[in-house]
């Protein structure tokens, strides 16, 4: 079946949607009507990733664009970096890194082996890219990363549209810190809605482990008006806040950057999350995906 689909693409026929079960639910690859070789990945109806095979530097989703800004600012332009991606989806950000920072070395940790096989078959990676994919739990895979290896660790893990509890704790961030080089960056996709208790707890947890924090989010999400995604950036050296703010503000869907004392005040005294007390992120309301 996969072979016939590939043949249709090679002949220039309109691509058809690809729908099949994976470990985490029902996966759908939907063709982008506006971009010839672009696809959106959904799991159980929830959009996960967008990929343009002809232009891997193109980022469509808001949160992916924010991750792209982090990648752009993680090192001088074009310099190769070591990146660990916790959560694979359609490998969108890894493709972006490979396109914008050639000769980078990357590790993707994606637990859903059936999803990995689907993406590899339908949206193949550039064979010249230095990208390794491990089909294990994110925290287990992170534990196999050598000490001080990564310039950047990206956490974008969702199971049933929720981040698993064991990826929200201070002990998890201890593993992130172990894998990071001195001066390395940690970036996480955090989904929450009113009253933003999960987001506040995640900021407090990161503040207990990193010296510098910044948060990028839609202002309506930060005001608790709707459910949405925020990207948390953390490190021990001063962060590129001014340039991150400029880029976020000029996006098609502008975002606000919070940092310093206002960001810590935003936590409202929330306590850091530990393994013993960790819970999964809240499930999004059904209306989010309509």
């Amino acid at each position: 079946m996969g072979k016939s689909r590939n043949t249709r693409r090679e002949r220039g026929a309109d691509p058809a949607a690809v729908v099949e079960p994976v470990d985490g639910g029902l996966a759908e690859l939907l063709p982008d009507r506006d971009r010839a070789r672009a696809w959106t990945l959904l799991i159980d109806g929830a959009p996960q990733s967008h990929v343009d095979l002809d232009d891997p530097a193109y980022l469509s989703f808001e949160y992916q664009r924010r991750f792209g800004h982090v990648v752009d600012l993680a090192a001088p332009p074009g310099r190769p970096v070591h990146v660990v991606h916790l959560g694979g989806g359609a490998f969108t950000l890894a493709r972006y890194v490979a396109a914008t920072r050639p000769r980078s070395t990357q590790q993707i940790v994606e637990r859903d082996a059936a999803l990995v096989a689907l993406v590899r078959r339908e949206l193949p990676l550039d064979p010249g890219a230095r990208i390794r994919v491990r089909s294990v739990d994110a925290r287990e895979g992170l534990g196999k990363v050598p000490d001080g290896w990564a310039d950047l660790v990206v956490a974008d893990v969702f199971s049933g549209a929720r981040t698993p509890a064991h990826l929200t704790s201070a002990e998890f961030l201890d593993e992130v810190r172990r894998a990071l080089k001195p001066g390395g960056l940690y970036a996480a996709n955090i989904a929450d809605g009113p009253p933003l208790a999960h987001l506040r707890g995640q900021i407090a947890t990161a503040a207990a482990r990193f010296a510098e924090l910044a948060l990028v989010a839609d202002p309506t999400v930060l005001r608790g008006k709707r459910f949405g995604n925020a990207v948390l950036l953390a490190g021990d050296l001063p962060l590129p806040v001014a340039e991150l703010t400029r880029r976020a503000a000029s996006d098609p869907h502008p975002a606000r950057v919070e940092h310093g004392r206002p960001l810590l005040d935003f936590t409202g005294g929330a306590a850091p999350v530990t393994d013993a007390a960790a819970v999964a992120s809240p499930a999004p309301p059904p209306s989010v995906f309509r």
Side-chain angles (χ1 to χ4, degrees):
M1 195 170 185
K3 183 177 180 181
S4 65
R5 281 192 291 263
N6 289 340
T7 301
R8 281 175 55 81
R9 291 176 200 169
E10 289 165 5
R11 290 174 180 169
D14 290 337
V18 180
V19 182
E20 64 184 62
V22 295
D23 299 338
L26 186 67
E28 300 174 81
L29 284 174
L30 305 182
D32 187 330
R33 295 174 182 267
D34 298 322
R35 304 178 76 92
R37 298 182 68 229
W39 299 80
T40 298
L41 169 68
L42 296 85
I43 304 292
D44 286 341
Q48 301 288 325
S49 307
H50 180 279
V51 169
D52 188 333
L53 296 178
D54 288 333
D55 183 9
Y58 174 77
L59 300 175
S60 176
F61 288 3
E62 289 179 39
Y63 84 89
Q64 289 179 337
R65 290 183 59 81
R66 292 165 192 165
F67 275 147
H69 299 326
V70 171
V71 169
D72 292 346
L73 299 174
R79 195 187 83 183
V81 290
H82 289 179
V83 185
V84 177
H85 304 267
L86 304 178
F91 311 158
T92 303
L93 195 65
R95 300 173 199 266
Y96 179 86
V97 173
T100 60
R101 296 184 177 277
R103 302 181 308 284
S104 291
T105 304
Q106 303 184 73
Q107 298 186 37
I108 297 173
V109 183
E110 170 54 63
R111 180 175 184 171
D112 194 327
L115 176 62
V116 169
L118 170 66
V119 172
R120 282 190 179 278
R121 185 187 76 227
E122 299 293 335
L123 309 175
L125 289 165
D126 179 350
R130 301 175 181 178
I131 301 174
R132 178 181 181 182
V133 185
R134 286 189 171 122
S135 295
V136 297
D137 173 78
R139 193 153 160 180
E140 178 185 347
L142 178 63
K144 297 181 184 301
V145 175
D147 292 0
W149 183 84
D151 295 289
L152 174 65
V153 173
V154 177
D156 186 19
V157 184
F158 288 86
S159 176
R162 303 177 72 184
T163 300
H166 68 297
L167 305 180
T168 68
S169 68
E171 291 90 339
F172 164 68
L173 291 186
D174 287 337
E175 273 297 294
V176 171
R177 286 186 60 90
R178 180 199 58 77
L180 283 172
K181 296 178 181 179
L185 296 175
Y186 169 65
N189 180 19
I190 303 172
D192 200 8
L196 300 178
H198 175 69
L199 178 59
R200 297 180 202 277
Q202 289 302 284
I203 296 168
T205 305
R209 291 298 186 267
F210 291 95
E212 300 286 339
L213 303 179
L215 187 75
V216 190
D218 185 304
T220 60
V221 173
L222 290 179
R223 290 197 297 268
K225 299 296 185 181
R226 69 172 179 87
F227 194 99
N229 296 81
V231 168
L232 178 64
L233 181 62
D236 285 332
L237 299 180
L239 302 176
V241 172
E243 182 61 18
L244 183 62
T245 300
R246 187 189 69 79
R247 292 180 182 226
S250 62
D251 262 349
H253 300 279
R256 194 168 82 207
V257 175
E258 293 287 359
H259 64 98
R261 175 52 57 184
L263 181 57
L264 295 181
D265 290 345
F266 175 78
T267 66
V273 176
T274 64
D275 274 344
V279 296
S281 66
S287 60
V288 168
F289 304 125
R290 288 176 185 166

